[in-house]
Amino acid sequence: RVLVGEQNKARTYRMCIVGGFQRGDERYRFGKIKTTKQLICKFGNMVRPFKMDYISNSDITDEEYNDWLAQMDRCDLDVLTIRDVEHKIKKFRQYASDKEHEAQSKRKHSRSRSRSRSRNRSRSRSSSSSSSSSSSSASSGRHRKRRKP
């Protein structure tokens, strides 16, 4: 469901098919975040981007469904089947899973890089402190040779 307008203070929604998303020009608040993402919604042959805050996850009414069916018929388009919907759900889940694996891989890579950096820093500190301690002890005169009387 996408909000397409208001008439007499009553909101008008349309059932649509989400075909993807795109980045818009304008930032807007969606829940607790700010984003520029927009969903590409299809209603028959009409394709239009909508900000996500125009999308409703409430149940589709019979009137909205019938309007959508009539539009699909006018445009001579096939109506989605259960199999089509299941296929889309499978693709979305696979996409989400791939993105999660990608994020985990980036986190692991980032952690291993920071660990190797800290090991390198530790090594350079220990080598510089040992060389500085030997030079400081030499300059402090603690290890002077004794003169024979």
Side-chain angles (χ1 to χ4, degrees):
R1 291 180 82 202
V2 65
L3 178 64
V4 292
E6 287 188 38
Q7 291 178 338
N8 302 328
K9 295 192 178 188
R11 292 181 171 191
T12 304
Y13 290 93
R14 280 209 177 123
M15 180 180 154
C16 64
I17 297 172
V18 175
F21 73 93
Q22 68 181 27
R23 295 202 186 280
D25 297 331
E26 182 182 325
R27 288 182 73 78
Y28 65 96
R29 183 167 295 286
F30 180 64
K32 294 182 179 182
I33 64 167
K34 286 188 176 182
T35 185
T36 60
K37 291 181 182 174
Q38 299 177 333
L39 295 176
I40 300 170
C41 298
K42 299 177 186 179
F43 181 73
N45 286 332
M46 293 186 287
V47 179
R48 187 176 148 204
F50 284 91
K51 295 176 182 176
M52 290 187 289
D53 57 353
Y54 283 76
I55 307 299
S56 168
N57 62 354
S58 58
D59 292 339
I60 295 166
T61 66
D62 288 340
E63 183 181 353
E64 291 164 355
Y65 179 72
N66 291 332
D67 288 346
W68 179 74
L69 277 178
Q71 182 70 11
M72 296 296 281
D73 191 45
R74 280 191 294 274
C75 296
D76 198 28
L77 296 171
D78 292 332
V79 176
L80 293 174
T81 65
I82 296 293
R83 180 180 244 163
D84 295 332
V85 173
E86 288 170 345
H87 179 70
K88 277 282 192 198
I89 290 170
K90 185 177 179 181
K91 282 177 62 176
F92 280 129
R93 285 186 177 147
Q94 183 61 49
Y95 176 79
S97 175
D98 291 348
K99 286 294 184 185
E100 179 58 29
H101 289 305
E102 188 179 299
Q104 286 175 355
S105 176
K106 283 181 181 180
R107 284 192 297 266
K108 281 182 184 178
H109 183 67
S110 175
R111 276 185 261 155
S112 68
R113 278 195 331 218
S114 64
R115 271 190 239 124
S116 68
R117 280 190 205 128
S118 64
R119 276 193 298 253
N120 290 341
R121 280 190 212 118
S122 298
R123 286 182 191 145
S124 67
R125 281 187 201 131
S126 64
S127 66
S128 67
S129 65
S130 66
S131 66
S132 66
S133 66
S134 64
S135 65
S136 66
S137 63
S139 64
S140 68
R142 280 186 252 161
H143 298 288
R144 290 185 184 172
K145 292 182 183 179
R146 291 187 183 181
R147 291 186 192 185
K148 292 184 182 177

